[in-house]
Amino acid sequence: MKQKALARWLKAAVIGVALCLAVVYLLIIPDFGKSIAAQNPEFAFCYWPWLIFLWCTALPCIAALILGWGVAGRIGKDRSFCMENARALRAIAFLAAGDAAFFFLGNVVFLFLNMSHPGVVLASLLGVFAGVAVAIAAAALSHLVRKAAELQEQSDYTI
């Protein structure tokens, strides 16, 4: 696959993920929260704190998508192995790890404020593990891209 075609596919994936995030965070989560509040009026006061908390968890995802768009653009310019991509992937790793930690801690805080259920905290561990997996994958890719960029830089100097 050529670099430009790969970049187009990566940008299409970024757009697809952004659209999925928009649907989930702007339509599904608020609707789901309203239905929970309607079925359980004793938890209606939890709707806005939870909604704001979940919207805050979307911010690192949006930042990671913006960084991913930049990586795809540099790949399209045949600069796959450059320090900018390594730094962007490292930033994505930190964003994913930070978002996973924030999500877990927020769930625990809501549990202690009696605004959640222990089952919700346990179920949220799936999201936490997904965030940690993304962080590890992005950190590994960052390391590999950094090493490849260093090798490429050394070979450019020897020619």
Side-chain angles (χ1 to χ4, degrees):
M1 183 179 296
K2 297 193 190 262
Q3 296 290 107
K4 290 189 186 276
L6 178 61
R8 279 194 297 271
W9 279 106
L10 288 172
K11 286 182 177 183
V14 168
I15 290 170
V17 171
L19 290 174
C20 288
L21 279 176
V23 167
V24 168
Y25 279 97
L26 298 176
L27 298 175
I28 294 174
I29 289 175
D31 189 50
F32 186 63
K34 285 178 185 174
S35 70
I36 290 174
Q39 292 173 357
N40 304 297
E42 66 273 14
F43 292 117
F45 74 99
C46 301
Y47 175 74
W48 281 106
W50 266 102
L51 189 60
I52 291 168
F53 167 67
L54 290 174
W55 282 344
C56 288
T57 63
L59 297 175
C61 298
I62 294 167
L65 287 174
I66 292 168
L67 290 168
W69 185 269
V71 169
R74 286 186 288 277
I75 288 172
K77 294 176 185 172
D78 202 21
R79 295 182 50 227
S80 301
F81 302 113
C82 64
M83 288 301 188
E84 291 92 355
N85 281 353
R87 282 191 291 274
L89 288 166
R90 187 167 188 245
I92 290 170
F94 280 117
L95 286 168
D99 197 28
F102 175 72
F103 186 66
F104 179 71
L105 292 174
N107 273 283
V108 171
V109 167
F110 279 139
L111 180 66
F112 286 132
L113 292 175
N114 203 25
M115 296 174 70
S116 187
H117 186 274
V120 172
V121 176
L122 289 175
S124 73
L125 289 176
L126 291 173
V128 171
F129 289 134
V132 169
V134 168
I136 291 169
L141 283 172
S142 172
H143 175 75
L144 293 173
V145 169
R146 182 176 307 279
K147 291 293 185 185
E150 290 170 357
L151 286 173
Q152 186 175 15
E153 190 175 303
Q154 288 174 0
S155 78
D156 288 346
Y157 286 142
T158 59
I159 293 176

